[in-house]
Structures are given as structure tokens and as C-alpha cells.
Amino acid sequence: MPYDRKHSSKECTGAMNSVKDALYVLSGKWKLPLILALSEGPMRFNEVQKALADITPKVLSKELRDLELNEFVERKVFDTVPVTVTYELTPYSQSVWPIIDALKEWGSQHRERIIKTRRTVSTTEKA
Amino acid sequence: MPYDRKHSSKECTGAMNSVKDALYVLSGKWKLPLILALSEGPMRFNEVQKALADITPKVLSKELRDLELNEFVERKVFDTVPVTVTYELTPYSQSVWPIIDALKEWGSQHRERIIKTRRTVSTTEKA
DNA sequence: CTGCATCCTATAGGATACTG
DNA sequence: CAGTATCCTATAGGATGCAG
């Protein structure tokens, strides 16, 4: 069976590692949607939660801390009563925009074609 | 920090759903790397396994079936002895290339900055 | 060679309740 | 308001062995 290799596997391995690395920080159910949500501007904890619709505080809290760690998000505490906390994107976070954009584009164009292999209901319809 | 990313929350919700949908099919540790690997041309099961380096047959098998379900990959069986099976990308799979590309680009540019929050070692170094 | 069966672990993610 | 604490489930992912 003769196949033809399109390019060297060396190149591919490098690319593979890059993709894996990116995936490492950005994959998961919430990271990218979270960044997308925050692109509207600084938001408070509750507002973010509302924007994400179905995320629980525990998970949201963890995700935000992860994003903070990787400097995508900055957390600001205002000494009011009661305390006010906002989350906003860092300039650095702009670097992931192409990814979100590609995902958004793809999702909007192929939504109908998607075959659900898991039972998790993602968005549009609930049952 | 002024960004230009402000837009109405309506738009944002739509975008969010698109992103979630895309993530639904494409997220996970292997889907995208797998597609990247197969971009070299048709490969046999063992070859794919080698290309992915550290994936087990069970997982590989499942991932390939998922990709097949969503028509990113076509499985071809050749009636030889022993049987030969190849996997290759469908034309449709090209639609996800922008995503892989964005990921690859981002990964290669920000690799050094990544903070590992989990102990899973993704690629470049083992410990 | 291809890849399923079985068993197992880790972790992502969630429900619910509660606190400074 | 902004989370944390606790408990829990599902799933991703892995190890090993075997079968067509």
C-alpha cells in the first residue's frame, strides 16, 4: 500500500508539541469560554457566573485561579463593604484570541453537523 | 488597558455557544494532535500510535472512532493477511485546520510562559 | 497487526451547604 | 458578595492481556 508522506515527521513532531502545550493550558470545558466572556470587560464573580450560565462557584473559582496563574486574568479587590472583586483580561490574554476566534468560527459553521458522543449537553438545547 | 473587544452581550452569547460546541467535539488531550498527526497522510494503527508517542491502544481506538463519527477521519480496511487498516483525514477535516494552526502558533510562541497546574507532563520534558 | 476486554486511577466537573 | 468546604459522579485516560 503506497502512501505518500506530505511533509517530514520532524516538523510534525515540533508542531505536535506546540499544540499539546497550548492544549495543556487552554483545554477544558471552561477556560476559553471564560476568556470570551471576560472580553466584554471587567466583571464581578457573580457576573461571570451568570455569563457562563451553568458553572458552579467552586468550578468557576478554580478556573479563574488557573487563568490568573497563567496571567490571562487579573483579579482586583476593592475595599468596599461588602468587598468587591473584579476579574479582567490582561493584555497578554489577547494572544489567545486567534484560537477563540477559530473555535467560534468553526462552531458557528458546523454546529449542525456535530455528533454528540457524550451525554453532556453543551449549549443550544437541553434534551 | 483598553481593548477593542467590547461588543454586545447578545453577540457574545452566540459566540459562546459556538465556542462551546466546537470544544465539545474537539477538546480533549488527543483529538487535535491526532488530526495533526494524520495530516502527514494515511497511517496504520501502529503508525498513528507511534506518532502520538504515548497513547495506549485502547484510548487511541476510542479517539479514532470519535473522529470517525464526526467524519474527520476515514477508516479503510484492506483485506490482506494479516488485515491492514489505514486511517486518513477526510476533506471535511480541513475545516478544523485554522484551529490547529492557531493552537500550534500559540503553543510555539508561549511555551516558556506556560505554568503547569497539573502534574501531567505534556511533552517537551519528563520531569 | 489491529484493537477489544477488563480492571484501575486520576481528575474534571458538579451539588449543596456554609462562612467572612 | 465572593467565595470555600465537603461530598460525589462521570469520564478521561492508562496498564495489561488477549483475540481475530
Side-chain angles (χ1 to χ4, degrees):
Chain A
M1 279 111 248
Y3 344 121
D4 54 322
R5 296 278 118 97
K6 309 260 169 70
H7 44 268
S8 86
S9 19
K10 288 263 164 4
E11 282 172 43
C12 195
T13 306
M16 178 90 74
N17 286 339
S18 297
V19 170
K20 283 184 178 177
D21 282 338
L23 249 19
Y24 185 87
V25 214
L26 297 170
S27 74
K29 190 172 174 183
W30 299 113
K31 300 271 184 319
L32 265 358
L34 211 28
I35 292 177
L36 177 61
L38 287 170
S39 70
E40 285 193 69
M43 299 171 80
R44 302 170 62 168
F45 192 87
N46 271 348
E47 296 179 304
V48 187
Q49 188 170 7
K50 233 166 291 171
L52 275 286
D54 49 356
I55 191 170
T56 61
K58 188 198 104 170
V59 174
L60 178 55
S61 170
K62 188 212 183 309
E63 296 291 306
L64 283 171
R65 270 183 281 117
D66 283 355
L67 290 177
E68 218 189 326
L69 241 184
N70 275 290
E71 297 176 73
F72 295 127
V73 163
E74 188 180 359
R75 181 177 185 269
K76 287 183 176 166
V77 182
F78 299 92
D79 196 12
T80 55
V81 177
V83 66
T84 303
V85 180
T86 66
Y87 295 88
E88 61 181 283
L89 296 182
T90 61
Y92 176 58
S93 75
Q94 305 233 352
S95 64
V96 305
W97 202 259
I99 298 173
I100 295 179
D101 228 44
L103 244 14
K104 190 180 63 191
E105 184 70 8
W106 193 91
S108 72
Q109 273 169 23
H110 303 279
R111 194 191 305 263
E112 304 314 326
R113 189 161 177 167
I114 292 176
I115 295 176
K116 314 266 178 171
T117 32
R118 286 155 282 182
R119 19 252 127 294
T120 320
V121 178
S122 72
T123 47
T124 26
E125 237 168 323
K126 207 76 178 174
Chain B
M1 288 123 226
Y3 335 126
D4 47 326
R5 289 298 174 192
K6 312 250 178 188
H7 32 48
S8 84
S9 15
K10 283 226 173 29
E11 282 173 42
C12 196
T13 306
M16 178 89 73
N17 285 340
S18 297
V19 170
K20 284 184 179 177
D21 281 339
L23 247 20
Y24 184 86
V25 212
L26 298 169
S27 75
K29 191 173 173 181
W30 299 113
K31 300 270 184 317
L32 266 357
L34 211 29
I35 293 177
L36 177 62
L38 286 170
S39 71
E40 284 192 71
M43 299 172 79
R44 301 173 60 172
F45 192 87
N46 270 348
E47 296 178 303
V48 187
Q49 188 170 7
K50 235 167 287 170
L52 275 287
D54 48 356
I55 192 170
T56 60
K58 188 198 105 171
V59 174
L60 177 56
S61 169
K62 188 211 181 311
E63 296 292 305
L64 283 172
R65 269 183 282 119
D66 283 355
L67 290 178
E68 219 189 324
L69 241 184
N70 275 290
E71 295 175 72
F72 294 128
V73 163
E74 187 181 1
R75 181 177 184 268
K76 287 183 177 167
V77 182
F78 299 91
D79 194 12
T80 55
V81 177
V83 66
T84 304
V85 180
T86 66
Y87 294 88
E88 61 181 285
L89 297 182
T90 61
Y92 176 57
S93 75
Q94 305 242 344
S95 63
V96 305
W97 201 258
I99 299 173
I100 295 180
D101 227 44
L103 244 15
K104 190 181 63 189
E105 183 70 9
W106 192 91
S108 73
Q109 272 168 23
H110 302 281
R111 193 191 306 261
E112 304 313 326
R113 190 161 177 169
I114 292 175
I115 295 177
K116 314 267 180 172
T117 32
R118 286 155 284 182
R119 20 257 125 285
T120 320
V121 179
S122 72
T123 48
T124 26
E125 237 169 323
K126 206 78 177 171

